[in-house]
């Protein structure tokens, strides 16, 4: 039987432009299908412009600006990819702090494709093993992570995958980790 995350509140954090649409919509569906309650969080209120690789896709309504969002209101965090999306998120102090706070609280986090760039900026990958789009491996290693080329990787509540082709495995493992709930808080920020 599939995992259930009934009532689990999931922050889906994206930039207002540049998220890879399928990496937003497929995990969103998986969260809803398992009984979770996803909420779209972005730096600015209004809409998010998604992309299908380089072509504009659909727009999605933002539920809450990240500056007004409290990590205390969510049980888990999902970070979709797209090249522009995490590059913009890592320039948002509110978004970076939100990610850092979710890790500090030991809440499960799922990140796919280029999304680990935001994790690097939040300084939460040191000592962890994860995967990503291959072009991020040097950035992740330089940030103290061990990078692996695997369909899906899990490390103490952090679920990562490489690309849209990995979405079935990513979504299944994401829901499993979200069902497990909090993990021992592991932060890597220097004192």
């Amino acid at each position: 039987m599939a995992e259930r995350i009934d009532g689990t509140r999931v922050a889906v954090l994206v930039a207002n432009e540049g998220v890879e649409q399928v990496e937003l919509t497929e995990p969103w569906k998986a969260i809803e299908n398992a009984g979770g309650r996803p909420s779209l969080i972005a730096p600015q209120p209004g809409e998010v412009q998604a992309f299908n690789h380089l072509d504009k896709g659909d727009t999605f309504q933002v539920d809450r600006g990240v500056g007004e969002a409290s990590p205390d209101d969510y049980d888990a965090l999902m970070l979709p990819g797209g090249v522009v999306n995490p590059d913009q998120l890592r320039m948002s102090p509110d978004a970076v702090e939100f990610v850092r706070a979710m890790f500090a609280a030991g809440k499960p986090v799922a990140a796919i494709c280029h999304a680990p760039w935001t994790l690097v900026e939040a300084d939460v990958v040191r000592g962890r093993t994860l995967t990503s789009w291959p072009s991020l491996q040097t950035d992740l290693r330089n940030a103290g992570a061990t990078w692996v080329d695997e369909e899906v990787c899990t490390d103490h509540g952090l679920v990562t995958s490489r690309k849209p082709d990995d979405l079935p495995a990513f979504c299944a493992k994401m829901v499993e980790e979200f069902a497990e709930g909090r993990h021992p808080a592991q932060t890597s920020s220097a004192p």
Side-chain angles (χ1 to χ4, degrees), residues 15 27 33 46 48 60 72 87 94 100 103 125 134 141 143 153 184:
N33 289 341
V48 166
F60 299 89
D72 294 337
D87 194 48
D94 288 337
R100 193 176 290 126
F103 272 85
V125 299
R141 287 180 178 134
C153 179

Side-chain angles (χ1 to χ4, degrees), residues 10 25-26 57 72 85 101 131 148 173 177:
V10 181
T25 58
E26 289 304 305
D72 294 337
N85 175 49
T131 194
V148 294
K173 186 54 84 171
E177 289 299 308

Side-chain angles (χ1 to χ4, degrees), residues 32 55 64 74-75 78 96 114 133:
E32 286 185 325
D55 299 321
R64 186 180 277 177
Y74 301 96
D75 305 305
M78 194 275 152
V96 171
H114 288 78
W133 185 255

Side-chain angles (χ1 to χ4, degrees), residues 12 27 156 177:
V12 180
H156 294 92
E177 289 299 308

Side-chain angles (χ1 to χ4, degrees), residues 2 4 6 20 24 27 33 70 75 79 91 93 118 142 154 162:
R4 299 294 303 168
D6 294 319
E20 185 69 29
L24 169 62
N33 289 341
S70 170
D75 305 305
L79 296 165
M91 297 302 294
T118 307
N142 287 343
T154 306
R162 303 169 299 191

